[in-house]
Amino acid sequence: MKLQLDTWDLDGVFKGFEKATEAASQPNGQDQTFSFPGESGTGRLRRIQLRPGLEMNWFDTKLHEPLTMDVGIHYPHLEISYTISGKGCWEASAKTQGFELSPGVSTFMYIRDAEMHAELFQKEPMLHMELRFDMRHFDMIFPEVERLTADATYCRQISGSPYIPQIVEQMKNCPYSGTLQKLYLEGKALELLTFHLDGTDKETMKRQTASKLTLNDIQCLHEAKSILSRTWKHPPTLLQLARLAGLNDYKLKLGFKELFGTTVFGYVRELRMNEARTLLEQGIANVSETAITVGYHNVSHFASLFRKTFGYNPSEAAKVRLRKQHGET
């Protein structure tokens, strides 16, 4: 299932979802439930509006096919998410880096006036929570957020925290209903926001005082790169890769970029794009087959990345190779 839409407020995604899938919502006050179309999967999307500009969403689905979303976000959008099960990925047009959605990972992101591409995979059930803020309602309450809004996008991910899953579990099993439910969930939402904002301060301080890589760090980072070179079709998560390489995830992310000049995700993408070019130039597979072979379910997204990487469309790969062989530009 593919969704492509533009949003100017928190309602935009749900209106687009209803229109594209013809899925009717079942409203219960400020609590709405959307059922997934039968051919796309089973399960539901639950939306709880806590106050103007703040809502909590739960994805509880088993997809029969990948769900891809290309969303234009035209307002200051802040989001905190946590994945309990299932996998996916997302990236913003304003940045080249991509981010994973995987179990135990919490994402803290800000985006405005930018395009976001997201994919949810169908391999296993997806249980995923999102807190979504329209920051036009919170400018006077959270001036601390202002330092994150200099760029069109910001993202920080946390894995292995015992604190975040505890709060998410409390929200999932909220013991109240009605007004008390909204008060309880709003309090927990602000608690999570406080935790993430505090973490961005600490991360900034770490970067400002980051130590140089040791010889052991460098060896471990080369091991991480070697692992990715062998597993790029189905790479481990960042946390899994860090453990395999003998590093913590912070050192892996920071050190990989410092040593190799690209992110872990960027290196995997580079390997996938190079393999894709080889397949296309040699005529081994067409564009759609190549996209799937190198790990992309959305062919248009694959084509966009290929064009961004090499400067021409994947359908032109064989012709470009012939021109180069004959010395043409």
Side-chain angles (χ1 to χ4, degrees), residues 148-253:
L148 308 179
T149 62
D151 297 325
T153 62
Y154 170 88
C155 182
R156 175 174 179 265
Q157 292 188 306
I158 298 175
S159 59
S161 167
Y163 180 76
I164 295 175
Q166 179 182 349
I167 295 181
V168 172
E169 187 66 19
Q170 291 170 347
M171 299 173 80
K172 180 173 176 288
N173 298 311
C174 175
Y176 304 106
S177 60
T179 303
L180 290 181
Q181 179 195 53
K182 293 174 63 177
L183 287 172
Y184 179 85
L185 293 176
E186 183 178 343
K188 292 296 176 181
L190 300 183
E191 194 174 345
L192 272 180
L193 178 61
T194 301
F195 178 83
H196 279 281
L197 287 174
D198 181 57
T200 60
D201 283 341
K202 292 176 180 176
E203 182 182 52
T204 300
M205 292 176 64
K206 279 185 179 180
R207 287 179 175 175
Q208 291 173 345
T209 60
S211 60
K212 294 181 179 179
L213 295 173
T214 66
L215 178 60
N216 182 66
D217 291 337
I218 293 173
Q219 292 174 338
C220 291
L221 288 165
H222 277 284
E223 174 62 18
K225 187 178 182 183
S226 177
I227 292 170
L228 293 175
S229 298
R230 301 191 302 268
T231 64
W232 58 266
K233 287 188 178 181
H234 304 286
T237 66
L238 282 174
L239 186 59
Q240 290 169 340
L241 181 61
R243 289 173 177 169
L244 290 170
L247 294 166
N248 61 55
D249 59 328
Y250 173 78
K251 180 76 78 171
L252 172 65
K253 289 186 287 187

Side-chain angles (χ1 to χ4, degrees), residues 78-329:
L78 186 76
E79 184 170 307
I80 299 171
S81 69
Y82 183 79
T83 304
I84 297 175
S85 65
K87 290 186 177 181
C89 63
W90 73 274
E91 63 183 8
S93 58
K95 286 186 178 289
T96 57
Q97 183 180 4
F99 300 93
E100 296 177 335
L101 299 176
S102 56
V105 175
S106 180
T107 300
F108 179 53
M109 58 89 77
Y110 171 84
I111 184 169
R112 60 170 168 79
D113 298 322
E115 300 289 328
M116 184 182 76
H117 173 83
E119 297 186 30
L120 300 181
F121 306 148
Q122 81 276 24
K123 292 183 179 180
E124 56 187 276
M126 169 69 71
L127 183 55
H128 176 81
M129 185 278 295
E130 292 178 352
L131 291 170
R132 305 170 74 234
F133 300 77
D134 182 339
M135 295 311 296
R136 292 172 295 187
H137 295 268
F138 294 91
D139 285 344
M140 300 303 294
I141 301 177
F142 299 123
E144 293 84 0
V145 176
E146 291 181 5
R147 66 180 178 274
L148 308 179
T149 62
D151 297 325
T153 62
Y154 170 88
C155 182
R156 175 174 179 265
Q157 292 188 306
I158 298 175
S159 59
S161 167
Y163 180 76
I164 295 175
Q166 179 182 349
I167 295 181
V168 172
E169 187 66 19
Q170 291 170 347
M171 299 173 80
K172 180 173 176 288
N173 298 311
C174 175
Y176 304 106
S177 60
T179 303
L180 290 181
Q181 179 195 53
K182 293 174 63 177
L183 287 172
Y184 179 85
L185 293 176
E186 183 178 343
K188 292 296 176 181
L190 300 183
E191 194 174 345
L192 272 180
L193 178 61
T194 301
F195 178 83
H196 279 281
L197 287 174
D198 181 57
T200 60
D201 283 341
K202 292 176 180 176
E203 182 182 52
T204 300
M205 292 176 64
K206 279 185 179 180
R207 287 179 175 175
Q208 291 173 345
T209 60
S211 60
K212 294 181 179 179
L213 295 173
T214 66
L215 178 60
N216 182 66
D217 291 337
I218 293 173
Q219 292 174 338
C220 291
L221 288 165
H222 277 284
E223 174 62 18
K225 187 178 182 183
S226 177
I227 292 170
L228 293 175
S229 298
R230 301 191 302 268
T231 64
W232 58 266
K233 287 188 178 181
H234 304 286
T237 66
L238 282 174
L239 186 59
Q240 290 169 340
L241 181 61
R243 289 173 177 169
L244 290 170
L247 294 166
N248 61 55
D249 59 328
Y250 173 78
K251 180 76 78 171
L252 172 65
K253 289 186 287 187
L254 196 67
F256 201 96
K257 180 66 180 292
E258 181 181 341
L259 188 61
F260 302 119
T262 185
T263 63
V264 170
F265 191 91
Y267 180 62
V268 170
R269 176 189 292 175
E270 178 184 332
L271 294 173
R272 287 175 168 174
M273 289 296 108
N274 287 337
E275 176 69 10
R277 181 167 63 174
T278 299
L279 293 174
L280 292 167
E281 286 182 348
Q282 296 179 0
I284 297 174
N286 61 31
V287 175
S288 298
E289 292 167 342
T290 298
I292 294 172
T293 299
V294 299
Y296 293 96
H297 300 289
N298 186 317
V299 177
S300 62
H301 179 56
F302 163 75
S304 176
L305 291 177
F306 190 96
R307 186 165 51 251
K308 185 188 299 183
T309 303
F310 299 116
Y312 53 88
N313 292 321
S315 58
E316 301 171 323
K319 294 179 181 178
V320 170
R321 183 192 181 199
L322 289 174
R323 288 201 299 266
K324 289 181 179 179
Q325 288 176 339
H326 290 85
E328 301 177 17
T329 57

